[in-house]
Amino acid sequence: MWVKASVQLTDNTFQVSLAYSTHVMVVGESTAMIDTSVAAGVAGMIAEIERYLGEEETLDMLFLTHARFDHVGGLPALRRRFP
């Protein structure tokens, strides 16, 4: 099944999708995100994260699967927004 929009998958798992990438966010005692997309799309990713977390919540961990621009490009902006 291909889901092309951001969606809640389970009680604590969310798919954060942009036009060119999809990521998984897990919310619990800590909040974790897998990969950070490209730099050009990070504003959209932050908006999607805030939609699920609210503006007061934060990301606790970022897991990077590998160091290619389409997986780590948004890292600087996400670190600024969620220090």
Side-chain angles (χ1 to χ4, degrees):
M1 174 173 103
W2 289 93
V3 179
K4 295 183 180 183
S6 296
V7 65
Q8 185 169 353
L9 299 172
T10 68
D11 288 343
N12 65 338
T13 306
F14 301 87
Q15 176 174 304
V16 178
S17 292
L18 306 170
Y20 34 78
S21 61
T22 298
H23 307 273
V24 175
M25 180 173 65
V26 180
V27 178
E29 290 182 31
S30 297
T31 301
M33 185 82 177
I34 300 172
D35 288 332
T36 67
S37 191
V38 297
V42 76
M45 176 173 275
I46 289 171
E48 289 297 299
I49 292 168
E50 288 175 344
R51 184 172 83 142
Y52 292 120
L53 291 183
E55 292 186 23
E56 301 301 317
E57 297 294 325
T58 189
L59 287 174
D60 299 305
M61 296 172 272
L62 287 170
F63 294 97
L64 304 174
T65 58
H66 59 283
R68 276 188 50 155
F69 76 96
D70 57 335
H71 291 257
V72 301
L75 183 58
L78 281 172
R79 289 195 64 191
R80 281 192 300 275
R81 171 59 186 89
F82 304 104

